[in-house]
mmCIF file of all heavy atoms in Angstrom:
data_model
loop_
_atom_site.group_PDB
_atom_site.id
_atom_site.type_symbol
_atom_site.label_atom_id
_atom_site.label_comp_id
_atom_site.label_asym_id
_atom_site.label_seq_id
_atom_site.Cartn_x
_atom_site.Cartn_y
_atom_site.Cartn_z
ATOM 1 N N PHE Z 123 51.820 -22.854 109.956
ATOM 2 C CA PHE Z 123 52.790 -23.676 110.545
ATOM 3 C C PHE Z 123 52.629 -25.123 110.103
ATOM 4 O O PHE Z 123 53.579 -25.916 109.775
ATOM 5 C CB PHE Z 123 52.676 -23.586 112.045
ATOM 6 C CG PHE Z 123 53.374 -24.655 112.849
ATOM 7 C CD1 PHE Z 123 54.677 -24.812 112.901
ATOM 8 C CD2 PHE Z 123 52.606 -25.623 113.477
ATOM 9 C CE1 PHE Z 123 55.272 -25.777 113.505
ATOM 10 C CE2 PHE Z 123 53.102 -26.642 114.144
ATOM 11 C CZ PHE Z 123 54.511 -26.685 114.261
ATOM 12 N N ASP Z 124 51.313 -25.591 110.143
ATOM 13 C CA ASP Z 124 51.035 -26.940 109.779
ATOM 14 C C ASP Z 124 51.470 -27.414 108.406
ATOM 15 O O ASP Z 124 52.107 -28.394 108.158
ATOM 16 C CB ASP Z 124 49.535 -27.163 109.872
ATOM 17 C CG ASP Z 124 49.160 -28.635 109.936
ATOM 18 O OD1 ASP Z 124 49.956 -29.521 109.869
ATOM 19 O OD2 ASP Z 124 47.872 -28.913 110.176
ATOM 20 N N LEU Z 125 51.081 -26.527 107.303
ATOM 21 C CA LEU Z 125 51.194 -26.918 106.015
ATOM 22 C C LEU Z 125 52.475 -26.451 105.360
ATOM 23 O O LEU Z 125 53.051 -27.119 104.489
ATOM 24 C CB LEU Z 125 49.963 -26.407 105.186
ATOM 25 C CG LEU Z 125 48.675 -27.023 105.515
ATOM 26 C CD1 LEU Z 125 47.580 -26.533 104.574
ATOM 27 C CD2 LEU Z 125 48.732 -28.529 105.623
ATOM 28 N N VAL Z 126 53.009 -25.314 105.859
ATOM 29 C CA VAL Z 126 54.254 -24.671 105.210
ATOM 30 C C VAL Z 126 55.539 -24.835 106.186
ATOM 31 O O VAL Z 126 56.581 -25.031 105.631
ATOM 32 C CB VAL Z 126 53.975 -23.237 104.828
ATOM 33 C CG1 VAL Z 126 55.284 -22.678 104.109
ATOM 34 C CG2 VAL Z 126 52.719 -23.155 103.873
ATOM 35 N N GLY Z 127 55.291 -24.709 107.402
ATOM 36 C CA GLY Z 127 56.434 -24.892 108.354
ATOM 37 C C GLY Z 127 56.988 -23.607 108.868
ATOM 38 O O GLY Z 127 58.016 -23.702 109.470
ATOM 39 N N ARG Z 137 50.254 -25.205 117.267
ATOM 40 C CA ARG Z 137 50.312 -26.555 116.915
ATOM 41 C C ARG Z 137 49.533 -26.826 115.641
ATOM 42 O O ARG Z 137 48.913 -26.017 115.145
ATOM 43 C CB ARG Z 137 49.780 -27.401 118.066
ATOM 44 C CG ARG Z 137 48.319 -26.943 118.501
ATOM 45 C CD ARG Z 137 47.893 -27.513 119.872
ATOM 46 N NE ARG Z 137 46.720 -26.960 120.302
ATOM 47 C CZ ARG Z 137 45.381 -27.362 120.159
ATOM 48 N NH1 ARG Z 137 45.230 -28.596 119.428
ATOM 49 N NH2 ARG Z 137 44.435 -26.818 120.499
ATOM 50 N N ARG Z 138 49.644 -27.884 115.218
ATOM 51 C CA ARG Z 138 49.006 -28.385 113.871
ATOM 52 C C ARG Z 138 47.537 -28.278 114.021
ATOM 53 O O ARG Z 138 46.895 -28.327 115.221
ATOM 54 C CB ARG Z 138 49.372 -29.844 113.548
ATOM 55 C CG ARG Z 138 50.832 -30.015 113.130
ATOM 56 C CD ARG Z 138 51.022 -31.290 112.465
ATOM 57 N NE ARG Z 138 52.425 -31.632 112.170
ATOM 58 C CZ ARG Z 138 53.008 -31.313 111.074
ATOM 59 N NH1 ARG Z 138 52.367 -30.708 110.104
ATOM 60 N NH2 ARG Z 138 54.241 -31.594 110.798
ATOM 61 N N ILE Z 139 46.827 -27.863 112.927
ATOM 62 C CA ILE Z 139 45.418 -27.692 112.994
ATOM 63 C C ILE Z 139 44.590 -28.613 111.971
ATOM 64 O O ILE Z 139 43.613 -29.034 112.224
ATOM 65 C CB ILE Z 139 45.056 -26.147 112.753
ATOM 66 C CG1 ILE Z 139 43.514 -25.914 112.936
ATOM 67 C CG2 ILE Z 139 45.541 -25.795 111.328
ATOM 68 C CD1 ILE Z 139 43.261 -24.484 112.886
ATOM 69 N N LEU Z 140 45.151 -28.874 110.866
ATOM 70 C CA LEU Z 140 44.586 -29.747 109.835
ATOM 71 C C LEU Z 140 45.104 -31.191 109.861
ATOM 72 O O LEU Z 140 44.328 -32.099 109.547
ATOM 73 C CB LEU Z 140 44.638 -29.125 108.552
ATOM 74 C CG LEU Z 140 43.928 -27.747 108.273
ATOM 75 C CD1 LEU Z 140 44.329 -27.282 106.893
ATOM 76 C CD2 LEU Z 140 42.467 -27.954 108.487
ATOM 77 N N LEU Z 141 46.335 -31.328 110.300
ATOM 78 C CA LEU Z 141 46.981 -32.692 110.296
ATOM 79 C C LEU Z 141 47.195 -33.142 111.636
ATOM 80 O O LEU Z 141 47.255 -32.320 112.584
ATOM 81 C CB LEU Z 141 48.352 -32.579 109.476
ATOM 82 C CG LEU Z 141 48.295 -32.107 108.062
ATOM 83 C CD1 LEU Z 141 49.583 -31.984 107.482
ATOM 84 C CD2 LEU Z 141 47.441 -33.158 107.250
ATOM 85 N N PRO Z 142 47.353 -34.469 111.854
ATOM 86 C CA PRO Z 142 47.641 -34.996 113.223
ATOM 87 C C PRO Z 142 48.981 -34.512 113.668
ATOM 88 O O PRO Z 142 49.987 -34.086 112.984
ATOM 89 C CB PRO Z 142 47.627 -36.447 113.066
ATOM 90 C CG PRO Z 142 46.912 -36.749 111.726
ATOM 91 C CD PRO Z 142 47.190 -35.538 110.852
ATOM 92 N N GLU Z 143 49.118 -34.354 115.064
ATOM 93 C CA GLU Z 143 50.289 -33.841 115.669
ATOM 94 C C GLU Z 143 51.529 -34.682 115.348
ATOM 95 O O GLU Z 143 52.667 -34.319 115.238
ATOM 96 C CB GLU Z 143 50.156 -33.711 117.218
ATOM 97 C CG GLU Z 143 49.284 -32.625 117.691
ATOM 98 C CD GLU Z 143 49.870 -31.257 117.321
ATOM 99 O OE1 GLU Z 143 51.185 -31.209 117.394
ATOM 100 O OE2 GLU Z 143 49.185 -30.251 117.113
ATOM 101 N N THR Z 144 51.326 -36.001 114.989
ATOM 102 C CA THR Z 144 52.400 -36.916 114.670
ATOM 103 C C THR Z 144 52.931 -36.848 113.135
ATOM 104 O O THR Z 144 53.712 -37.558 112.731
ATOM 105 C CB THR Z 144 51.958 -38.410 114.898
ATOM 106 O OG1 THR Z 144 50.816 -38.640 114.224
ATOM 107 C CG2 THR Z 144 51.677 -38.531 116.434
ATOM 108 N N TRP Z 145 52.187 -35.957 112.394
ATOM 109 C CA TRP Z 145 52.554 -35.877 110.905
ATOM 110 C C TRP Z 145 53.969 -35.459 110.773
ATOM 111 O O TRP Z 145 54.477 -34.536 111.463
ATOM 112 C CB TRP Z 145 51.572 -34.870 110.312
ATOM 113 C CG TRP Z 145 51.698 -35.063 108.771
ATOM 114 C CD1 TRP Z 145 52.452 -34.348 107.956
ATOM 115 C CD2 TRP Z 145 50.825 -35.817 107.913
ATOM 116 N NE1 TRP Z 145 52.190 -34.747 106.658
ATOM 117 C CE2 TRP Z 145 51.242 -35.748 106.594
ATOM 118 C CE3 TRP Z 145 49.853 -36.806 108.183
ATOM 119 C CZ2 TRP Z 145 50.597 -36.415 105.550
ATOM 120 C CZ3 TRP Z 145 49.268 -37.507 107.179
ATOM 121 C CH2 TRP Z 145 49.715 -37.256 105.842
ATOM 122 N N GLN Z 146 54.616 -36.152 109.899
ATOM 123 C CA GLN Z 146 56.056 -35.793 109.509
ATOM 124 C C GLN Z 146 56.147 -34.800 108.381
ATOM 125 O O GLN Z 146 55.763 -35.063 107.314
ATOM 126 C CB GLN Z 146 56.829 -37.040 109.210
ATOM 127 C CG GLN Z 146 56.799 -38.094 110.260
ATOM 128 C CD GLN Z 146 57.328 -37.625 111.671
ATOM 129 O OE1 GLN Z 146 58.478 -37.182 111.647
ATOM 130 N NE2 GLN Z 146 56.446 -37.709 112.675
ATOM 131 N N GLY Z 147 56.759 -33.604 108.632
ATOM 132 C CA GLY Z 147 57.005 -32.643 107.507
ATOM 133 C C GLY Z 147 55.789 -31.780 107.331
ATOM 134 O O GLY Z 147 54.827 -31.833 108.018
ATOM 135 N N HIS Z 148 55.865 -30.846 106.452
ATOM 136 C CA HIS Z 148 54.960 -29.818 106.150
ATOM 137 C C HIS Z 148 54.688 -29.845 104.565
ATOM 138 O O HIS Z 148 55.455 -29.569 103.728
ATOM 139 C CB HIS Z 148 55.457 -28.450 106.480
ATOM 140 C CG HIS Z 148 55.947 -28.426 107.886
ATOM 141 N ND1 HIS Z 148 55.136 -28.135 108.935
ATOM 142 C CD2 HIS Z 148 57.201 -28.599 108.429
ATOM 143 C CE1 HIS Z 148 55.768 -28.237 110.059
ATOM 144 N NE2 HIS Z 148 57.023 -28.429 109.838
ATOM 145 N N PRO Z 149 53.449 -30.410 104.256
ATOM 146 C CA PRO Z 149 53.167 -30.684 102.799
ATOM 147 C C PRO Z 149 53.225 -29.675 101.756
ATOM 148 O O PRO Z 149 53.538 -29.979 100.661
ATOM 149 C CB PRO Z 149 51.712 -31.231 102.891
ATOM 150 C CG PRO Z 149 51.493 -31.557 104.333
ATOM 151 C CD PRO Z 149 52.338 -30.646 105.097
ATOM 152 N N LEU Z 150 53.242 -28.418 102.034
ATOM 153 C CA LEU Z 150 53.243 -27.295 101.116
ATOM 154 C C LEU Z 150 54.781 -26.732 101.076
ATOM 155 O O LEU Z 150 54.833 -25.640 100.494
ATOM 156 C CB LEU Z 150 52.179 -26.266 101.352
ATOM 157 C CG LEU Z 150 50.800 -26.752 101.068
ATOM 158 C CD1 LEU Z 150 49.825 -25.513 101.309
ATOM 159 C CD2 LEU Z 150 50.732 -27.235 99.596
ATOM 160 N N SER Z 151 55.637 -27.230 101.784
ATOM 161 C CA SER Z 151 57.078 -26.782 101.716
ATOM 162 C C SER Z 151 57.721 -27.506 100.487
ATOM 163 O O SER Z 151 57.215 -28.569 100.059
ATOM 164 C CB SER Z 151 57.781 -27.152 103.046
ATOM 165 O OG SER Z 151 57.895 -28.557 103.176
ATOM 166 N N TYR Z 154 59.324 -31.190 100.809
ATOM 167 C CA TYR Z 154 58.497 -32.243 101.415
ATOM 168 C C TYR Z 154 58.611 -33.410 100.601
ATOM 169 O O TYR Z 154 58.448 -33.495 99.388
ATOM 170 C CB TYR Z 154 56.977 -31.700 101.594
ATOM 171 C CG TYR Z 154 56.166 -32.752 102.144
ATOM 172 C CD1 TYR Z 154 56.243 -33.173 103.476
ATOM 173 C CD2 TYR Z 154 55.073 -33.449 101.357
ATOM 174 C CE1 TYR Z 154 55.345 -33.976 104.040
ATOM 175 C CE2 TYR Z 154 54.268 -34.380 101.937
ATOM 176 C CZ TYR Z 154 54.357 -34.594 103.182
ATOM 177 O OH TYR Z 154 53.531 -35.490 103.836
ATOM 178 N N ASP Z 155 58.799 -34.578 101.280
ATOM 179 C CA ASP Z 155 58.839 -35.906 100.746
ATOM 180 C C ASP Z 155 57.500 -36.495 100.739
ATOM 181 O O ASP Z 155 57.097 -36.993 101.838
ATOM 182 C CB ASP Z 155 59.920 -36.791 101.447
ATOM 183 C CG ASP Z 155 60.055 -38.165 100.888
ATOM 184 O OD1 ASP Z 155 59.470 -38.366 99.828
ATOM 185 O OD2 ASP Z 155 60.731 -38.956 101.554
ATOM 186 N N GLN Z 156 56.848 -36.718 99.636
ATOM 187 C CA GLN Z 156 55.503 -37.204 99.589
ATOM 188 C C GLN Z 156 55.386 -38.746 99.737
ATOM 189 O O GLN Z 156 54.438 -39.307 99.938
ATOM 190 C CB GLN Z 156 54.783 -36.780 98.333
ATOM 191 C CG GLN Z 156 54.668 -35.301 98.260
ATOM 192 C CD GLN Z 156 53.670 -34.876 97.087
ATOM 193 O OE1 GLN Z 156 52.867 -35.619 96.688
ATOM 194 N NE2 GLN Z 156 53.914 -33.736 96.433
ATOM 195 N N THR Z 157 56.650 -39.333 99.629
ATOM 196 C CA THR Z 157 56.659 -40.721 99.716
ATOM 197 C C THR Z 157 56.974 -41.276 101.122
ATOM 198 O O THR Z 157 56.867 -42.488 101.383
ATOM 199 C CB THR Z 157 57.726 -41.391 98.725
ATOM 200 O OG1 THR Z 157 59.073 -40.922 99.171
ATOM 201 C CG2 THR Z 157 57.468 -40.864 97.386
ATOM 202 N N GLN Z 158 57.288 -40.367 102.093
ATOM 203 C CA GLN Z 158 57.632 -40.827 103.404
ATOM 204 C C GLN Z 158 56.399 -41.442 104.122
ATOM 205 O O GLN Z 158 55.200 -40.947 103.892
ATOM 206 C CB GLN Z 158 58.234 -39.766 104.242
ATOM 207 C CG GLN Z 158 57.182 -38.571 104.485
ATOM 208 C CD GLN Z 158 57.849 -37.377 105.227
ATOM 209 O OE1 GLN Z 158 58.826 -37.533 105.998
ATOM 210 N NE2 GLN Z 158 57.426 -36.232 104.952
ATOM 211 N N PRO Z 159 56.553 -42.512 104.934
ATOM 212 C CA PRO Z 159 55.535 -43.048 105.636
ATOM 213 C C PRO Z 159 54.946 -42.088 106.841
ATOM 214 O O PRO Z 159 55.644 -41.374 107.304
ATOM 215 C CB PRO Z 159 55.972 -44.336 106.253
ATOM 216 C CG PRO Z 159 57.490 -43.959 106.414
ATOM 217 C CD PRO Z 159 57.791 -43.143 105.305
ATOM 218 N N GLN Z 160 53.625 -42.144 107.057
ATOM 219 C CA GLN Z 160 53.022 -41.432 108.102
ATOM 220 C C GLN Z 160 52.360 -42.514 109.030
ATOM 221 O O GLN Z 160 51.361 -43.139 108.789
ATOM 222 C CB GLN Z 160 52.024 -40.486 107.544
ATOM 223 C CG GLN Z 160 52.574 -39.439 106.661
ATOM 224 C CD GLN Z 160 53.402 -38.507 107.385
ATOM 225 O OE1 GLN Z 160 53.286 -38.205 108.632
ATOM 226 N NE2 GLN Z 160 54.151 -37.599 106.676
ATOM 227 N N ILE Z 161 52.948 -42.580 110.233
ATOM 228 C CA ILE Z 161 52.321 -43.471 111.229
ATOM 229 C C ILE Z 161 51.661 -42.644 112.366
ATOM 230 O O ILE Z 161 52.330 -41.853 113.056
ATOM 231 C CB ILE Z 161 53.421 -44.402 111.931
ATOM 232 C CG1 ILE Z 161 54.103 -45.185 110.761
ATOM 233 C CG2 ILE Z 161 52.808 -45.268 112.952
ATOM 234 C CD1 ILE Z 161 55.251 -45.895 111.457
ATOM 235 N N VAL Z 162 50.328 -42.659 112.412
ATOM 236 C CA VAL Z 162 49.528 -41.785 113.273
ATOM 237 C C VAL Z 162 48.917 -42.758 114.414
ATOM 238 O O VAL Z 162 47.879 -43.349 114.071
ATOM 239 C CB VAL Z 162 48.543 -41.008 112.536
ATOM 240 C CG1 VAL Z 162 47.808 -40.068 113.531
ATOM 241 C CG2 VAL Z 162 49.198 -40.219 111.373
ATOM 242 N N PRO Z 163 49.465 -42.759 115.597
ATOM 243 C CA PRO Z 163 48.810 -43.732 116.526
ATOM 244 C C PRO Z 163 47.620 -43.088 117.071
ATOM 245 O O PRO Z 163 47.389 -41.899 117.185
ATOM 246 C CB PRO Z 163 49.909 -43.814 117.643
ATOM 247 C CG PRO Z 163 50.695 -42.556 117.442
ATOM 248 C CD PRO Z 163 50.690 -42.208 116.006
ATOM 249 N N ARG Z 165 45.473 -41.876 120.032
ATOM 250 C CA ARG Z 165 45.953 -41.484 121.322
ATOM 251 C C ARG Z 165 44.900 -40.427 121.782
ATOM 252 O O ARG Z 165 44.214 -39.802 120.945
ATOM 253 C CB ARG Z 165 47.301 -40.877 121.358
ATOM 254 C CG ARG Z 165 47.419 -39.539 120.577
ATOM 255 C CD ARG Z 165 48.945 -39.286 120.282
ATOM 256 N NE ARG Z 165 49.017 -37.977 119.872
ATOM 257 C CZ ARG Z 165 48.670 -37.566 118.512
ATOM 258 N NH1 ARG Z 165 48.218 -38.492 117.682
ATOM 259 N NH2 ARG Z 165 48.803 -36.422 118.055
ATOM 260 N N GLN Z 167 43.674 -36.811 122.830
ATOM 261 C CA GLN Z 167 44.035 -35.545 122.437
ATOM 262 C C GLN Z 167 43.308 -34.568 123.417
ATOM 263 O O GLN Z 167 42.161 -34.742 123.719
ATOM 264 C CB GLN Z 167 43.637 -35.202 121.026
ATOM 265 C CG GLN Z 167 44.419 -36.031 119.902
ATOM 266 C CD GLN Z 167 44.141 -35.666 118.573
ATOM 267 O OE1 GLN Z 167 43.725 -34.478 118.350
ATOM 268 N NE2 GLN Z 167 44.357 -36.495 117.651
ATOM 269 N N GLY Z 217 39.946 -30.815 110.455
ATOM 270 C CA GLY Z 217 40.960 -31.407 109.591
ATOM 271 C C GLY Z 217 40.706 -32.958 109.210
ATOM 272 O O GLY Z 217 41.374 -33.588 108.533
ATOM 273 N N TYR Z 218 39.534 -33.421 109.550
ATOM 274 C CA TYR Z 218 39.191 -34.786 109.540
ATOM 275 C C TYR Z 218 39.066 -35.207 107.977
ATOM 276 O O TYR Z 218 39.276 -36.300 107.516
ATOM 277 C CB TYR Z 218 37.967 -35.202 110.181
ATOM 278 C CG TYR Z 218 38.203 -35.308 111.717
ATOM 279 C CD1 TYR Z 218 38.084 -34.245 112.528
ATOM 280 C CD2 TYR Z 218 38.528 -36.564 112.248
ATOM 281 C CE1 TYR Z 218 38.285 -34.430 113.898
ATOM 282 C CE2 TYR Z 218 38.676 -36.658 113.572
ATOM 283 C CZ TYR Z 218 38.631 -35.642 114.384
ATOM 284 O OH TYR Z 218 38.927 -35.720 115.742
ATOM 285 N N HIS Z 220 40.521 -33.109 105.508
ATOM 286 C CA HIS Z 220 41.469 -32.334 104.787
ATOM 287 C C HIS Z 220 42.217 -33.230 103.764
ATOM 288 O O HIS Z 220 42.634 -34.288 104.098
ATOM 289 C CB HIS Z 220 42.547 -31.763 105.693
ATOM 290 C CG HIS Z 220 43.678 -31.135 105.043
ATOM 291 N ND1 HIS Z 220 43.612 -30.015 104.467
ATOM 292 C CD2 HIS Z 220 45.084 -31.608 104.934
ATOM 293 C CE1 HIS Z 220 44.860 -29.673 103.829
ATOM 294 N NE2 HIS Z 220 45.696 -30.568 104.279
ATOM 295 N N ARG Z 221 42.306 -32.788 102.434
ATOM 296 C CA ARG Z 221 42.997 -33.516 101.402
ATOM 297 C C ARG Z 221 43.991 -32.588 100.704
ATOM 298 O O ARG Z 221 44.243 -32.892 99.487
ATOM 299 C CB ARG Z 221 42.069 -34.266 100.548
ATOM 300 C CG ARG Z 221 40.982 -33.522 99.969
ATOM 301 C CD ARG Z 221 39.985 -34.461 99.256
ATOM 302 N NE ARG Z 221 39.159 -33.797 98.295
ATOM 303 C CZ ARG Z 221 38.906 -34.057 97.053
ATOM 304 N NH1 ARG Z 221 39.456 -35.315 96.510
ATOM 305 N NH2 ARG Z 221 38.078 -33.347 96.180
ATOM 306 N N CYS Z 222 44.277 -31.473 101.261
ATOM 307 C CA CYS Z 222 45.222 -30.452 100.685
ATOM 308 C C CYS Z 222 44.769 -30.055 99.208
ATOM 309 O O CYS Z 222 45.529 -30.185 98.196
ATOM 310 C CB CYS Z 222 46.751 -31.123 100.528
ATOM 311 S SG CYS Z 222 47.990 -29.816 100.867
ATOM 312 N N GLN Z 225 47.166 -27.800 97.303
ATOM 313 C CA GLN Z 225 48.268 -28.443 96.663
ATOM 314 C C GLN Z 225 47.747 -29.182 95.336
ATOM 315 O O GLN Z 225 48.447 -29.126 94.243
ATOM 316 C CB GLN Z 225 48.935 -29.666 97.509
ATOM 317 C CG GLN Z 225 50.146 -30.289 96.907
ATOM 318 C CD GLN Z 225 50.770 -31.307 97.751
ATOM 319 O OE1 GLN Z 225 50.023 -32.144 98.173
ATOM 320 N NE2 GLN Z 225 52.043 -31.118 98.139
#
Side-chain angles (χ1 to χ4, degrees):
F123 163 72
D124 192 358
L125 300 185
V126 182
R137 54 195 169 93
R138 293 190 184 272
I139 188 171
L140 296 174
L141 299 174
E143 286 294 329
T144 55
W145 195 270
Q146 304 299 306
H148 305 278
L150 292 182
S151 62
Y154 180 68
D155 180 5
Q156 297 189 30
T157 65
Q158 65 185 329
Q160 296 290 344
I161 302 175
V162 184
R165 70 196 187 283
Q167 295 186 23
Y218 285 86
H220 172 69
R221 55 188 197 133
C222 218
Q225 187 181 56

